PDB file of all heavy atoms in Angstrom:
ATOM      1  N   VAL A  27      41.789 -10.253  13.231  1.00 93.00           N
ATOM      2  CA  VAL A  27      40.662 -10.604  14.097  1.00 93.00           C
ATOM      3  C   VAL A  27      39.771  -9.375  14.201  1.00 93.00           C
ATOM      4  O   VAL A  27      40.240  -8.260  14.412  1.00 93.00           O
ATOM      5  CB  VAL A  27      41.151 -11.053  15.493  1.00 93.00           C
ATOM      6  CG1 VAL A  27      39.967 -11.353  16.406  1.00 93.00           C
ATOM      7  CG2 VAL A  27      42.070 -12.264  15.364  1.00 93.00           C
ATOM      8  N   TYR A  28      38.473  -9.590  14.028  1.00 90.00           N
ATOM      9  CA  TYR A  28      37.472  -8.532  14.086  1.00 90.00           C
ATOM     10  C   TYR A  28      36.448  -8.865  15.160  1.00 90.00           C
ATOM     11  O   TYR A  28      36.227 -10.042  15.473  1.00 90.00           O
ATOM     12  CB  TYR A  28      36.724  -8.431  12.753  1.00 90.00           C
ATOM     13  CG  TYR A  28      37.509  -7.806  11.640  1.00 90.00           C
ATOM     14  CD1 TYR A  28      38.560  -8.472  11.032  1.00 90.00           C
ATOM     15  CD2 TYR A  28      37.204  -6.528  11.183  1.00 90.00           C
ATOM     16  CE1 TYR A  28      39.285  -7.897   9.994  1.00 90.00           C
ATOM     17  CE2 TYR A  28      37.915  -5.944  10.147  1.00 90.00           C
ATOM     18  CZ  TYR A  28      38.955  -6.642   9.561  1.00 90.00           C
ATOM     19  OH  TYR A  28      39.669  -6.061   8.543  1.00 90.00           O
ATOM     20  N   ASP A  29      35.804  -7.846  15.686  1.00 90.00           N
ATOM     21  CA  ASP A  29      34.710  -8.089  16.626  1.00 90.00           C
ATOM     22  C   ASP A  29      33.425  -8.351  15.845  1.00 90.00           C
ATOM     23  O   ASP A  29      33.425  -8.340  14.610  1.00 90.00           O
ATOM     24  CB  ASP A  29      34.566  -6.959  17.647  1.00 90.00           C
ATOM     25  CG  ASP A  29      34.098  -5.641  17.051  1.00 90.00           C
ATOM     26  OD1 ASP A  29      33.593  -5.597  15.915  1.00 90.00           O
ATOM     27  OD2 ASP A  29      34.238  -4.618  17.753  1.00 90.00           O
ATOM     28  N   ALA A  30      32.346  -8.584  16.549  1.00 88.00           N
ATOM     29  CA  ALA A  30      31.072  -8.924  15.905  1.00 88.00           C
ATOM     30  C   ALA A  30      30.497  -7.771  15.083  1.00 88.00           C
ATOM     31  O   ALA A  30      29.642  -7.982  14.219  1.00 88.00           O
ATOM     32  CB  ALA A  30      30.053  -9.362  16.956  1.00 88.00           C
ATOM     33  N   ASP A  31      30.980  -6.553  15.321  1.00 89.00           N
ATOM     34  CA  ASP A  31      30.508  -5.390  14.568  1.00 89.00           C
ATOM     35  C   ASP A  31      31.452  -5.032  13.419  1.00 89.00           C
ATOM     36  O   ASP A  31      31.422  -3.915  12.905  1.00 89.00           O
ATOM     37  CB  ASP A  31      30.364  -4.193  15.516  1.00 89.00           C
ATOM     38  CG  ASP A  31      29.282  -4.416  16.544  1.00 89.00           C
ATOM     39  OD1 ASP A  31      28.213  -4.962  16.188  1.00 89.00           O
ATOM     40  OD2 ASP A  31      29.510  -4.079  17.723  1.00 89.00           O
ATOM     41  N   PHE A  32      32.304  -6.002  13.044  1.00 88.00           N
ATOM     42  CA  PHE A  32      33.227  -5.861  11.898  1.00 88.00           C
ATOM     43  C   PHE A  32      34.312  -4.824  12.130  1.00 88.00           C
ATOM     44  O   PHE A  32      34.864  -4.273  11.183  1.00 88.00           O
ATOM     45  CB  PHE A  32      32.492  -5.560  10.594  1.00 88.00           C
ATOM     46  CG  PHE A  32      31.319  -6.458  10.280  1.00 88.00           C
ATOM     47  CD1 PHE A  32      30.285  -5.985   9.513  1.00 88.00           C
ATOM     48  CD2 PHE A  32      31.256  -7.762  10.722  1.00 88.00           C
ATOM     49  CE1 PHE A  32      29.209  -6.788   9.176  1.00 88.00           C
ATOM     50  CE2 PHE A  32      30.174  -8.581  10.411  1.00 88.00           C
ATOM     51  CZ  PHE A  32      29.147  -8.097   9.638  1.00 88.00           C
ATOM     52  N   ARG A  33      34.679  -4.559  13.383  1.00 90.00           N
ATOM     53  CA  ARG A  33      35.786  -3.644  13.692  1.00 90.00           C
ATOM     54  C   ARG A  33      37.048  -4.474  13.920  1.00 90.00           C
ATOM     55  O   ARG A  33      37.029  -5.423  14.703  1.00 90.00           O
ATOM     56  CB  ARG A  33      35.476  -2.810  14.929  1.00 90.00           C
ATOM     57  CG  ARG A  33      34.348  -1.804  14.701  1.00 90.00           C
ATOM     58  CD  ARG A  33      34.122  -0.981  15.956  1.00 90.00           C
ATOM     59  NE  ARG A  33      33.767  -1.849  17.082  1.00 90.00           N
ATOM     60  CZ  ARG A  33      32.604  -1.825  17.725  1.00 90.00           C
ATOM     61  NH1 ARG A  33      31.681  -0.950  17.395  1.00 90.00           N
ATOM     62  NH2 ARG A  33      32.376  -2.641  18.727  1.00 90.00           N
ATOM     63  N   GLU A  34      38.138  -4.078  13.260  1.00 90.00           N
ATOM     64  CA  GLU A  34      39.384  -4.805  13.407  1.00 90.00           C
ATOM     65  C   GLU A  34      39.938  -4.634  14.806  1.00 90.00           C
ATOM     66  O   GLU A  34      40.029  -3.519  15.324  1.00 90.00           O
ATOM     67  CB  GLU A  34      40.395  -4.313  12.381  1.00 90.00           C
ATOM     68  CG  GLU A  34      41.668  -5.121  12.376  1.00 90.00           C
ATOM     69  CD  GLU A  34      42.636  -4.673  11.309  1.00 90.00           C
ATOM     70  OE1 GLU A  34      42.386  -4.951  10.116  1.00 90.00           O
ATOM     71  OE2 GLU A  34      43.640  -4.020  11.675  1.00 90.00           O
ATOM     72  N   ILE A  35      40.337  -5.736  15.423  1.00 91.00           N
ATOM     73  CA  ILE A  35      40.926  -5.733  16.754  1.00 91.00           C
ATOM     74  C   ILE A  35      42.445  -5.843  16.647  1.00 91.00           C
ATOM     75  O   ILE A  35      43.180  -5.152  17.331  1.00 91.00           O
ATOM     76  CB  ILE A  35      40.365  -6.894  17.600  1.00 91.00           C
ATOM     77  CG1 ILE A  35      38.883  -6.675  17.844  1.00 91.00           C
ATOM     78  CG2 ILE A  35      41.127  -7.032  18.904  1.00 91.00           C
ATOM     79  CD1 ILE A  35      38.197  -7.867  18.465  1.00 91.00           C
ATOM     80  N   ALA A  36      42.902  -6.761  15.789  1.00 92.00           N
ATOM     81  CA  ALA A  36      44.343  -6.980  15.624  1.00 92.00           C
ATOM     82  C   ALA A  36      44.587  -7.586  14.253  1.00 92.00           C
ATOM     83  O   ALA A  36      43.738  -8.311  13.726  1.00 92.00           O
ATOM     84  CB  ALA A  36      44.868  -7.915  16.707  1.00 92.00           C
ATOM     85  N   ALA A  37      45.762  -7.292  13.705  1.00 92.00           N
ATOM     86  CA  ALA A  37      46.138  -7.859  12.406  1.00 92.00           C
ATOM     87  C   ALA A  37      47.652  -7.956  12.319  1.00 92.00           C
ATOM     88  O   ALA A  37      48.367  -7.173  12.934  1.00 92.00           O
ATOM     89  CB  ALA A  37      45.620  -6.981  11.276  1.00 92.00           C
ATOM     90  N   TYR A  38      48.089  -8.943  11.542  1.00 93.00           N
ATOM     91  CA  TYR A  38      49.515  -9.031  11.235  1.00 93.00           C
ATOM     92  C   TYR A  38      49.677  -9.549   9.824  1.00 93.00           C
ATOM     93  O   TYR A  38      49.097 -10.570   9.504  1.00 93.00           O
ATOM     94  CB  TYR A  38      50.271  -9.926  12.204  1.00 93.00           C
ATOM     95  CG  TYR A  38      51.757  -9.670  12.058  1.00 93.00           C
ATOM     96  CD1 TYR A  38      52.367  -8.667  12.793  1.00 93.00           C
ATOM     97  CD2 TYR A  38      52.519 -10.365  11.130  1.00 93.00           C
ATOM     98  CE1 TYR A  38      53.716  -8.392  12.621  1.00 93.00           C
ATOM     99  CE2 TYR A  38      53.859 -10.086  10.963  1.00 93.00           C
ATOM    100  CZ  TYR A  38      54.456  -9.108  11.706  1.00 93.00           C
ATOM    101  OH  TYR A  38      55.786  -8.818  11.532  1.00 93.00           O
ATOM    102  N   PRO A  39      50.430  -8.835   8.991  1.00 91.00           N
ATOM    103  CA  PRO A  39      50.987  -7.525   9.280  1.00 91.00           C
ATOM    104  C   PRO A  39      49.880  -6.471   9.396  1.00 91.00           C
ATOM    105  O   PRO A  39      48.778  -6.669   8.880  1.00 91.00           O
ATOM    106  CB  PRO A  39      51.917  -7.230   8.096  1.00 91.00           C
ATOM    107  CG  PRO A  39      51.473  -8.152   7.015  1.00 91.00           C
ATOM    108  CD  PRO A  39      50.788  -9.306   7.647  1.00 91.00           C
ATOM    109  N   GLN A  40      50.180  -5.392  10.061  1.00 84.00           N
ATOM    110  CA  GLN A  40      49.165  -4.368  10.296  1.00 84.00           C
ATOM    111  C   GLN A  40      48.825  -3.590   9.040  1.00 84.00           C
ATOM    112  O   GLN A  40      47.720  -3.098   8.895  1.00 84.00           O
ATOM    113  CB  GLN A  40      49.604  -3.438  11.422  1.00 84.00           C
ATOM    114  CG  GLN A  40      49.650  -4.163  12.750  1.00 84.00           C
ATOM    115  CD  GLN A  40      50.163  -3.308  13.882  1.00 84.00           C
ATOM    116  OE1 GLN A  40      51.011  -2.462  13.690  1.00 84.00           O
ATOM    117  NE2 GLN A  40      49.632  -3.550  15.061  1.00 84.00           N
ATOM    118  N   SER A  41      49.763  -3.459   8.137  1.00 79.00           N
ATOM    119  CA  SER A  41      49.506  -2.725   6.905  1.00 79.00           C
ATOM    120  C   SER A  41      48.968  -3.673   5.835  1.00 79.00           C
ATOM    121  O   SER A  41      49.126  -4.889   5.904  1.00 79.00           O
ATOM    122  CB  SER A  41      50.788  -2.069   6.403  1.00 79.00           C
ATOM    123  OG  SER A  41      51.764  -3.055   6.137  1.00 79.00           O
ATOM    124  N   GLU A  42      48.292  -3.085   4.874  1.00 79.00           N
ATOM    125  CA  GLU A  42      47.782  -3.860   3.737  1.00 79.00           C
ATOM    126  C   GLU A  42      48.934  -4.195   2.798  1.00 79.00           C
ATOM    127  O   GLU A  42      49.955  -3.520   2.787  1.00 79.00           O
ATOM    128  CB  GLU A  42      46.723  -3.039   2.978  1.00 79.00           C
ATOM    129  CG  GLU A  42      45.508  -2.663   3.800  1.00 79.00           C
ATOM    130  CD  GLU A  42      44.666  -3.875   4.189  1.00 79.00           C
ATOM    131  OE1 GLU A  42      44.762  -4.937   3.540  1.00 79.00           O
ATOM    132  OE2 GLU A  42      43.908  -3.753   5.163  1.00 79.00           O
ATOM    133  N   CYS A  43      48.746  -5.227   1.973  1.00 76.00           N
ATOM    134  CA  CYS A  43      49.748  -5.519   0.962  1.00 76.00           C
ATOM    135  C   CYS A  43      49.766  -4.357  -0.046  1.00 76.00           C
ATOM    136  O   CYS A  43      48.837  -3.543  -0.081  1.00 76.00           O
ATOM    137  CB  CYS A  43      49.434  -6.842   0.254  1.00 76.00           C
ATOM    138  SG  CYS A  43      47.952  -6.836  -0.781  1.00 76.00           S
ATOM    139  N   ALA A  44      50.819  -4.270  -0.840  1.00 77.00           N
ATOM    140  CA  ALA A  44      50.968  -3.155  -1.780  1.00 77.00           C
ATOM    141  C   ALA A  44      49.784  -3.056  -2.736  1.00 77.00           C
ATOM    142  O   ALA A  44      49.298  -1.960  -3.027  1.00 77.00           O
ATOM    143  CB  ALA A  44      52.283  -3.295  -2.546  1.00 77.00           C
ATOM    144  N   PHE A  45      49.290  -4.187  -3.215  1.00 81.00           N
ATOM    145  CA  PHE A  45      48.159  -4.197  -4.135  1.00 81.00           C
ATOM    146  C   PHE A  45      46.913  -3.604  -3.483  1.00 81.00           C
ATOM    147  O   PHE A  45      46.262  -2.732  -4.049  1.00 81.00           O
ATOM    148  CB  PHE A  45      47.899  -5.636  -4.611  1.00 81.00           C
ATOM    149  CG  PHE A  45      46.767  -5.779  -5.581  1.00 81.00           C
ATOM    150  CD1 PHE A  45      46.919  -5.396  -6.910  1.00 81.00           C
ATOM    151  CD2 PHE A  45      45.556  -6.315  -5.178  1.00 81.00           C
ATOM    152  CE1 PHE A  45      45.878  -5.529  -7.813  1.00 81.00           C
ATOM    153  CE2 PHE A  45      44.512  -6.461  -6.076  1.00 81.00           C
ATOM    154  CZ  PHE A  45      44.670  -6.066  -7.398  1.00 81.00           C
ATOM    155  N   CYS A  46      46.615  -4.063  -2.274  1.00 82.00           N
ATOM    156  CA  CYS A  46      45.433  -3.555  -1.566  1.00 82.00           C
ATOM    157  C   CYS A  46      45.600  -2.086  -1.186  1.00 82.00           C
ATOM    158  O   CYS A  46      44.639  -1.318  -1.265  1.00 82.00           O
ATOM    159  CB  CYS A  46      45.150  -4.393  -0.325  1.00 82.00           C
ATOM    160  SG  CYS A  46      44.582  -6.068  -0.696  1.00 82.00           S
ATOM    161  N   SER A  47      46.792  -1.703  -0.792  1.00 80.00           N
ATOM    162  CA  SER A  47      47.035  -0.294  -0.464  1.00 80.00           C
ATOM    163  C   SER A  47      46.767   0.610  -1.664  1.00 80.00           C
ATOM    164  O   SER A  47      46.171   1.675  -1.517  1.00 80.00           O
ATOM    165  CB  SER A  47      48.473  -0.083   0.019  1.00 80.00           C
ATOM    166  OG  SER A  47      48.653  -0.674   1.267  1.00 80.00           O
ATOM    167  N   LEU A  48      47.222   0.178  -2.829  1.00 86.00           N
ATOM    168  CA  LEU A  48      46.980   0.960  -4.031  1.00 86.00           C
ATOM    169  C   LEU A  48      45.495   1.076  -4.321  1.00 86.00           C
ATOM    170  O   LEU A  48      44.978   2.170  -4.557  1.00 86.00           O
ATOM    171  CB  LEU A  48      47.716   0.336  -5.230  1.00 86.00           C
ATOM    172  CG  LEU A  48      47.500   1.029  -6.563  1.00 86.00           C
ATOM    173  CD1 LEU A  48      48.055   2.449  -6.530  1.00 86.00           C
ATOM    174  CD2 LEU A  48      48.158   0.230  -7.673  1.00 86.00           C
ATOM    175  N   ILE A  49      44.787  -0.028  -4.271  1.00 85.00           N
ATOM    176  CA  ILE A  49      43.340  -0.024  -4.527  1.00 85.00           C
ATOM    177  C   ILE A  49      42.635   0.864  -3.507  1.00 85.00           C
ATOM    178  O   ILE A  49      41.775   1.673  -3.847  1.00 85.00           O
ATOM    179  CB  ILE A  49      42.773  -1.453  -4.504  1.00 85.00           C
ATOM    180  CG1 ILE A  49      43.248  -2.205  -5.753  1.00 85.00           C
ATOM    181  CG2 ILE A  49      41.253  -1.446  -4.433  1.00 85.00           C
ATOM    182  CD1 ILE A  49      42.884  -3.655  -5.765  1.00 85.00           C
ATOM    183  N   GLN A  50      42.994   0.715  -2.230  1.00 86.00           N
ATOM    184  CA  GLN A  50      42.301   1.454  -1.181  1.00 86.00           C
ATOM    185  C   GLN A  50      42.682   2.923  -1.116  1.00 86.00           C
ATOM    186  O   GLN A  50      42.098   3.683  -0.343  1.00 86.00           O
ATOM    187  CB  GLN A  50      42.529   0.778   0.168  1.00 86.00           C
ATOM    188  CG  GLN A  50      41.829  -0.566   0.235  1.00 86.00           C
ATOM    189  CD  GLN A  50      41.970  -1.231   1.574  1.00 86.00           C
ATOM    190  OE1 GLN A  50      42.355  -0.625   2.567  1.00 86.00           O
ATOM    191  NE2 GLN A  50      41.614  -2.505   1.629  1.00 86.00           N
ATOM    192  N   SER A  51      43.625   3.333  -1.939  1.00 89.00           N
ATOM    193  CA  SER A  51      43.952   4.760  -2.006  1.00 89.00           C
ATOM    194  C   SER A  51      42.843   5.543  -2.708  1.00 89.00           C
ATOM    195  O   SER A  51      42.807   6.767  -2.652  1.00 89.00           O
ATOM    196  CB  SER A  51      45.300   4.983  -2.705  1.00 89.00           C
ATOM    197  OG  SER A  51      45.224   4.655  -4.079  1.00 89.00           O
ATOM    198  N   TYR A  52      41.923   4.822  -3.340  1.00 89.00           N
ATOM    199  CA  TYR A  52      40.750   5.439  -3.976  1.00 89.00           C
ATOM    200  C   TYR A  52      39.545   5.210  -3.058  1.00 89.00           C
ATOM    201  O   TYR A  52      39.251   4.076  -2.690  1.00 89.00           O
ATOM    202  CB  TYR A  52      40.495   4.828  -5.353  1.00 89.00           C
ATOM    203  CG  TYR A  52      41.620   5.083  -6.317  1.00 89.00           C
ATOM    204  CD1 TYR A  52      42.665   4.174  -6.449  1.00 89.00           C
ATOM    205  CD2 TYR A  52      41.651   6.245  -7.080  1.00 89.00           C
ATOM    206  CE1 TYR A  52      43.718   4.416  -7.314  1.00 89.00           C
ATOM    207  CE2 TYR A  52      42.695   6.487  -7.957  1.00 89.00           C
ATOM    208  CZ  TYR A  52      43.724   5.572  -8.063  1.00 89.00           C
ATOM    209  OH  TYR A  52      44.762   5.820  -8.920  1.00 89.00           O
ATOM    210  N   LYS A  53      38.875   6.285  -2.717  1.00 91.00           N
ATOM    211  CA  LYS A  53      37.763   6.229  -1.759  1.00 91.00           C
ATOM    212  C   LYS A  53      36.702   5.214  -2.166  1.00 91.00           C
ATOM    213  O   LYS A  53      36.246   4.418  -1.361  1.00 91.00           O
ATOM    214  CB  LYS A  53      37.159   7.623  -1.611  1.00 91.00           C
ATOM    215  CG  LYS A  53      36.132   7.740  -0.514  1.00 91.00           C
ATOM    216  CD  LYS A  53      35.652   9.175  -0.373  1.00 91.00           C
ATOM    217  CE  LYS A  53      34.646   9.286   0.738  1.00 91.00           C
ATOM    218  NZ  LYS A  53      34.203  10.671   0.918  1.00 91.00           N
ATOM    219  N   SER A  54      36.297   5.229  -3.438  1.00 91.00           N
ATOM    220  CA  SER A  54      35.239   4.309  -3.883  1.00 91.00           C
ATOM    221  C   SER A  54      35.705   2.863  -3.825  1.00 91.00           C
ATOM    222  O   SER A  54      34.926   1.973  -3.478  1.00 91.00           O
ATOM    223  CB  SER A  54      34.780   4.670  -5.290  1.00 91.00           C
ATOM    224  OG  SER A  54      35.851   4.555  -6.211  1.00 91.00           O
ATOM    225  N   ALA A  55      36.969   2.613  -4.147  1.00 88.00           N
ATOM    226  CA  ALA A  55      37.495   1.249  -4.093  1.00 88.00           C
ATOM    227  C   ALA A  55      37.619   0.777  -2.653  1.00 88.00           C
ATOM    228  O   ALA A  55      37.341  -0.389  -2.352  1.00 88.00           O
ATOM    229  CB  ALA A  55      38.827   1.169  -4.805  1.00 88.00           C
ATOM    230  N   LYS A  56      38.017   1.664  -1.757  1.00 88.00           N
ATOM    231  CA  LYS A  56      38.111   1.316  -0.335  1.00 88.00           C
ATOM    232  C   LYS A  56      36.736   0.907   0.195  1.00 88.00           C
ATOM    233  O   LYS A  56      36.600  -0.063   0.929  1.00 88.00           O
ATOM    234  CB  LYS A  56      38.682   2.470   0.482  1.00 88.00           C
ATOM    235  CG  LYS A  56      38.864   2.133   1.957  1.00 88.00           C
ATOM    236  CD  LYS A  56      39.545   3.266   2.701  1.00 88.00           C
ATOM    237  CE  LYS A  56      39.622   3.006   4.174  1.00 88.00           C
ATOM    238  NZ  LYS A  56      40.693   2.122   4.551  1.00 88.00           N
ATOM    239  N   ALA A  57      35.697   1.621  -0.214  1.00 91.00           N
ATOM    240  CA  ALA A  57      34.330   1.273   0.186  1.00 91.00           C
ATOM    241  C   ALA A  57      33.945  -0.100  -0.326  1.00 91.00           C
ATOM    242  O   ALA A  57      33.280  -0.874   0.374  1.00 91.00           O
ATOM    243  CB  ALA A  57      33.356   2.346  -0.307  1.00 91.00           C
ATOM    244  N   MET A  58      34.386  -0.420  -1.534  1.00 90.00           N
ATOM    245  CA  MET A  58      34.115  -1.747  -2.089  1.00 90.00           C
ATOM    246  C   MET A  58      34.833  -2.821  -1.292  1.00 90.00           C
ATOM    247  O   MET A  58      34.290  -3.912  -1.060  1.00 90.00           O
ATOM    248  CB  MET A  58      34.511  -1.798  -3.565  1.00 90.00           C
ATOM    249  CG  MET A  58      33.618  -0.952  -4.461  1.00 90.00           C
ATOM    250  SD  MET A  58      34.229  -0.825  -6.151  1.00 90.00           S
ATOM    251  CE  MET A  58      34.003  -2.506  -6.720  1.00 90.00           C
ATOM    252  N   CYS A  59      36.059  -2.543  -0.844  1.00 87.00           N
ATOM    253  CA  CYS A  59      36.809  -3.483  -0.012  1.00 87.00           C
ATOM    254  C   CYS A  59      36.067  -3.735   1.310  1.00 87.00           C
ATOM    255  O   CYS A  59      35.918  -4.880   1.733  1.00 87.00           O
ATOM    256  CB  CYS A  59      38.209  -2.957   0.277  1.00 87.00           C
ATOM    257  SG  CYS A  59      39.307  -2.878  -1.142  1.00 87.00           S
ATOM    258  N   GLU A  60      35.607  -2.670   1.941  1.00 87.00           N
ATOM    259  CA  GLU A  60      34.896  -2.796   3.210  1.00 87.00           C
ATOM    260  C   GLU A  60      33.597  -3.575   3.039  1.00 87.00           C
ATOM    261  O   GLU A  60      33.249  -4.421   3.861  1.00 87.00           O
ATOM    262  CB  GLU A  60      34.645  -1.419   3.803  1.00 87.00           C
ATOM    263  CG  GLU A  60      35.935  -0.743   4.253  1.00 87.00           C
ATOM    264  CD  GLU A  60      35.783   0.732   4.566  1.00 87.00           C
ATOM    265  OE1 GLU A  60      34.706   1.318   4.323  1.00 87.00           O
ATOM    266  OE2 GLU A  60      36.778   1.312   5.057  1.00 87.00           O
ATOM    267  N   LYS A  61      32.899  -3.300   1.943  1.00 90.00           N
ATOM    268  CA  LYS A  61      31.651  -4.023   1.650  1.00 90.00           C
ATOM    269  C   LYS A  61      31.929  -5.502   1.411  1.00 90.00           C
ATOM    270  O   LYS A  61      31.210  -6.367   1.914  1.00 90.00           O
ATOM    271  CB  LYS A  61      30.961  -3.404   0.434  1.00 90.00           C
ATOM    272  CG  LYS A  61      29.646  -4.059   0.083  1.00 90.00           C
ATOM    273  CD  LYS A  61      28.986  -3.361  -1.104  1.00 90.00           C
ATOM    274  CE  LYS A  61      27.631  -3.966  -1.374  1.00 90.00           C
ATOM    275  NZ  LYS A  61      27.547  -4.611  -2.660  1.00 90.00           N
TER     276      LYS A  61
END
Side-chain angles (χ1 to χ4, degrees):
V27 177
Y28 286 72
D29 68 15
D31 295 319
F32 311 152
R33 292 182 300 244
E34 186 177 286
I35 295 170
Y38 195 88
Q40 293 176 326
S41 60
E42 299 293 339
C43 68
F45 181 76
C46 291
S47 290
L48 178 63
I49 289 173
Q50 291 183 14
S51 68
Y52 297 91
K53 188 176 181 178
S54 61
K56 183 175 175 80
M58 291 172 68
C59 292
E60 292 167 353
K61 182 178 184 244

